[in-house]
Amino acid sequence: MPTEELACRAAISPCAARVLCTIPRIPADPMVIDLLKNDGIDANSHSSTPLTTDISRQADLILCFEREQISDLLEQNPLAIRKVFLFNDFVNACKHMHAEGPIAGDTAADKLIEIMDCVPMLRPFLPTALETEDPHRQSREVFERVYAEIKHGVDIMLGAVA
């Protein structure tokens, strides 16, 4: 099942935003558009937006690729501390909880909240999470590797809450 279809079934609405950026909207990189197209996802009209305090307040879950992004976000909105995670740390938590058995909750949103609430207690049992490399201005090979890593992580998360 394609990731996009599973996301729709799980009622998850992803949004791309950039921490500490004042440029209003940045369109997706052409290599990203091409990689997504290969998976049947049309990203031609996608653009990211700056992550404002309002957006971080409204978000239920915020996943960052780098620890510095988390620090910057928490400096902007300290109240987001319970809902901001390093992407691979959250993937590790989802994988761990899914392997342990059914995750409590009737909906994908309920299960995500359960995972978020358990991460602090699980962290000693999880592998140290790696940051996700930023492929910006790098080769297609790097884009493909990073895209595969993100796609794999998203599939783990969605599988855990499905």
Side-chain angles (χ1 to χ4, degrees):
M1 178 178 305
T3 301
E4 184 179 62
E5 182 179 328
L6 188 54
C8 290
R9 287 186 182 188
I12 296 169
S13 301
C15 172
R18 298 173 326 280
V19 178
L20 294 181
C21 183
T22 57
I23 302 169
R25 294 183 101 37
I26 297 177
D29 186 286
M31 278 195 258
V32 171
I33 292 171
D34 190 49
L35 289 170
L36 290 169
K37 183 179 177 182
N38 291 337
D39 276 341
I41 301 169
D42 180 4
N44 283 306
S45 62
H46 173 77
S47 61
S48 63
T49 59
L51 182 61
T52 63
T53 302
D54 286 340
I55 291 172
S56 67
R57 281 188 190 133
Q58 293 173 16
D60 297 316
L61 171 64
I62 302 168
L63 300 174
C64 297
F65 292 131
E66 301 168 358
R67 287 175 179 84
E68 184 178 358
Q69 293 169 335
I70 293 173
S71 296
D72 292 344
L73 186 148
L74 292 176
E75 193 173 299
Q76 179 189 64
N77 180 11
L79 298 176
I81 195 162
R82 294 182 53 111
K83 59 183 172 181
V84 62
F85 301 90
L86 189 64
F87 176 80
N88 284 318
D89 197 31
F90 199 75
V91 170
N92 290 339
C94 289
K95 187 175 185 177
H96 178 84
M97 288 186 70
H98 188 59
E100 292 294 312
I103 297 170
D106 295 326
T107 66
D110 292 342
K111 292 176 184 184
L112 283 172
I113 291 168
E114 178 70 12
I115 295 165
M116 291 166 61
D117 288 345
C118 290
V119 168
M121 294 175 286
L122 290 175
R123 198 161 272 125
F125 306 102
L126 301 175
T128 301
L130 300 175
E131 294 184 338
T132 301
E133 182 178 4
D134 184 352
H136 185 62
R137 295 187 177 150
Q138 295 195 51
S139 70
R140 181 171 181 94
E141 180 182 298
V142 174
F143 270 88
E144 288 173 353
R145 185 178 66 248
V146 171
Y147 178 67
E149 175 188 336
I150 293 168
K151 183 177 176 184
H152 179 71
V154 168
D155 286 343
I156 288 171
M157 287 186 278
L158 293 174
V161 301

